[in-house]
Amino acid sequence: MDRFIIHGGKKLQGTVHISGSKNAALPILVATLLTDEPCVLHRVPNLRDVRTTLKILEYLGKKVEYKNNTVTITADGVLKNTLPYELVKQMRASFWVAGPLLARFKTAEIPLPGGCAIGVRPVDIHLKGFEKLGAECDIKSGNVMIHAPELTPAKIVLRFPSVGATQNLLMCACLIPGETILENVAKEPEVDDVILFLNKMGADIRVGDKGQLIVQGKTALHGAEHTVVADRIETGSYILAACATRGDVTVTGCVPEHNSILLEDLQEAGFTLDITEDSVRVHSYGGDIKPVRVRTAPYPGFATDLQAPWMTLMTLCNGTAEVDEDIFENRFMHAPELVRMGANISTEKSVARVTGVKELSAAHVQASDLRGGMALVIAGLCAAGETEVERVYHIDRGYEKLEEKLTALGADIRRYNPDKNEF
């Protein structure tokens, strides 16, 4: 398995352009199952999860062409309504096909999904929503069996504003004639991008006065062309990498307002930022990094996907910072690896206390999940000496051309395959 070899201690400098959002691209790709007409999607990042999703679409009966970050999806025979575990186990987002398949076939069989080991992330919110729409859901031998003699519009109140459940139920409701109302929904920018694409396909989705999503279902949707929104988590990660290395970096092609809480917290920590409509410049900073407490929350709160990279930054603060993880359990697995690099971190349940140290030291570490892996990369960029990060396949799920982009900013990072003994 590939690993990163990082020689740290260099300030990042220059400009980095942000890719399309993974968390928007995946459900948008899945939404093409709602029509047999061609769909063209631009700014689709070349990531492991994207490639897995394209394989899923091909297995289900779509023809896929992917070149230069543009995906063209057309019909290629009769669609299937089941998926094999070999595909589903690779990522949790594979369960999102349930909504479109249920809407089109009134039945779907999907194995329970896999993905990062950062908590249970149950699909029960999805299933309870499908039941409200008239479906029966059973779990047998690890497979979710969903069947509906007839689907009917309904009012659905999510027990938690789950991004995946919001998107899955939206896609299903688009093909159920009548008015479906979703309440307590996720408000992430990625959800907005999915809604934008669905409306381009002919759906009728609007946001109500109280933030609820109101869907006027149709009998059919058509093809559409769409450009995926910028990845706010990649944006935040590069901004944090610039801050942690005390660099001077301009992040372009982003939507700064999608990271407004992060930017406010960084300014509170002492960093100077220049913010425009589509860029953020981090100025080189030689002063003390002030400790700032963050608590993860659904958007527009502090993003759980930036909690791990933020923790790396706080390992270098002057004082003690607290990180409250209120979204996923078991999402501090990067903390022991940071401790191996000299960090002073203690965790208790959902709270991590980070007491800053003067510097991190290079070490051999391993990624346990996507964002925790990025936290270790940032730590390696800060630490003098050679850091080796194993299991980079986790990181490949969410960061397009990571080593290429970091190298362009002056980092010394290379991908190494120990089996082939080659870089």
Side-chain angles (χ1 to χ4, degrees), residues 186-265:
K187 295 178 173 61
E188 274 72 2
E190 297 81 13
V191 175
D192 291 341
D193 208 38
V194 172
I195 292 172
L196 181 59
F197 177 64
L198 289 171
N199 283 341
K200 287 181 179 180
M201 295 177 71
D204 183 352
I205 305 170
R206 63 183 178 87
V207 180
D209 295 339
K210 298 181 180 180
Q212 73 273 37
L213 295 177
I214 303 169
V215 185
Q216 299 293 337
K218 307 287 186 175
T219 57
L221 298 183
H222 54 70
E225 186 170 359
H226 182 70
T227 299
V228 176
V229 71
D231 194 311
R232 67 189 170 102
I233 305 304
E234 185 192 30
T235 298
S237 297
Y238 280 107
I239 291 172
L240 287 166
C243 292
T245 63
R246 306 301 189 105
D248 190 326
V249 174
T250 300
V251 180
T252 65
C254 61
V255 186
E257 67 179 275
H258 291 170
N259 282 302
S260 59
I261 296 295
L262 171 67
L263 300 181
E264 291 173 9
D265 288 338

Side-chain angles (χ1 to χ4, degrees), residues 19-269:
S19 300
S21 167
K22 181 199 85 157
N23 291 337
L26 298 185
I28 287 172
L29 287 168
V30 169
T32 65
L33 292 168
L34 292 167
T35 182
D36 291 328
E37 295 185 14
C39 293
V40 180
L41 306 174
H42 305 289
R43 205 183 188 187
V44 178
N46 189 358
L47 301 169
R48 184 170 169 231
D49 278 7
V50 168
R51 294 191 294 272
T52 299
T53 302
L54 296 181
K55 290 178 183 177
I56 287 173
L57 293 178
E58 288 178 324
Y59 178 88
L60 290 172
K62 289 289 190 178
K63 181 180 178 181
V64 174
E65 296 179 10
Y66 188 26
K67 185 178 181 181
N68 297 329
N69 296 112
T70 292
V71 181
T72 302
I73 301 171
T74 54
D76 189 23
V78 179
L79 284 181
K80 301 184 182 72
N81 64 344
T82 62
L83 275 180
Y85 179 66
E86 286 305 310
L87 282 175
V88 172
K89 71 178 183 180
Q90 299 180 41
M91 64 173 193
R92 303 193 65 84
S94 55
F95 192 72
W96 295 342
V97 304
L101 294 181
L102 177 62
R104 295 202 65 180
F105 298 106
K106 305 301 183 289
T107 182
E109 181 177 343
I110 314 294
L112 286 170
C116 283
I118 60 169
V120 178
R121 296 203 273 185
V123 298
D124 69 294
I125 303 177
H126 304 239
L127 301 184
K128 289 185 183 301
F130 292 144
E131 289 172 350
K132 284 282 189 177
L133 296 171
E136 297 177 358
C137 304
D138 295 301
I139 299 177
K140 296 180 180 179
S141 303
N143 290 349
V144 180
M145 321 284 287
I146 310 172
H147 173 71
E150 182 180 359
L151 291 171
T152 55
K155 178 181 177 180
I156 303 171
V157 181
L158 305 187
R159 67 169 176 80
F160 177 83
S162 161
V163 173
T166 299
Q167 294 169 158
N168 214 346
L169 295 170
L170 269 180
M171 289 187 282
C172 186
C174 284
L175 288 183
I176 303 176
E179 183 176 272
T180 292
I181 299 175
L182 303 180
E183 296 186 355
N184 195 32
V185 294
K187 295 178 173 61
E188 274 72 2
E190 297 81 13
V191 175
D192 291 341
D193 208 38
V194 172
I195 292 172
L196 181 59
F197 177 64
L198 289 171
N199 283 341
K200 287 181 179 180
M201 295 177 71
D204 183 352
I205 305 170
R206 63 183 178 87
V207 180
D209 295 339
K210 298 181 180 180
Q212 73 273 37
L213 295 177
I214 303 169
V215 185
Q216 299 293 337
K218 307 287 186 175
T219 57
L221 298 183
H222 54 70
E225 186 170 359
H226 182 70
T227 299
V228 176
V229 71
D231 194 311
R232 67 189 170 102
I233 305 304
E234 185 192 30
T235 298
S237 297
Y238 280 107
I239 291 172
L240 287 166
C243 292
T245 63
R246 306 301 189 105
D248 190 326
V249 174
T250 300
V251 180
T252 65
C254 61
V255 186
E257 67 179 275
H258 291 170
N259 282 302
S260 59
I261 296 295
L262 171 67
L263 300 181
E264 291 173 9
D265 288 338
L266 287 172
Q267 290 169 325
E268 184 179 345

Side-chain angles (χ1 to χ4, degrees), residues 265-292:
D265 288 338
L266 287 172
Q267 290 169 325
E268 184 179 345
F271 294 94
T272 299
L273 309 175
D274 288 340
I275 304 169
T276 71
E277 184 178 340
D278 63 354
S279 71
V280 176
R281 179 184 174 185
V282 177
H283 287 268
S284 184
Y285 176 59
D288 288 338
I289 299 174
K290 299 179 181 67
V292 178

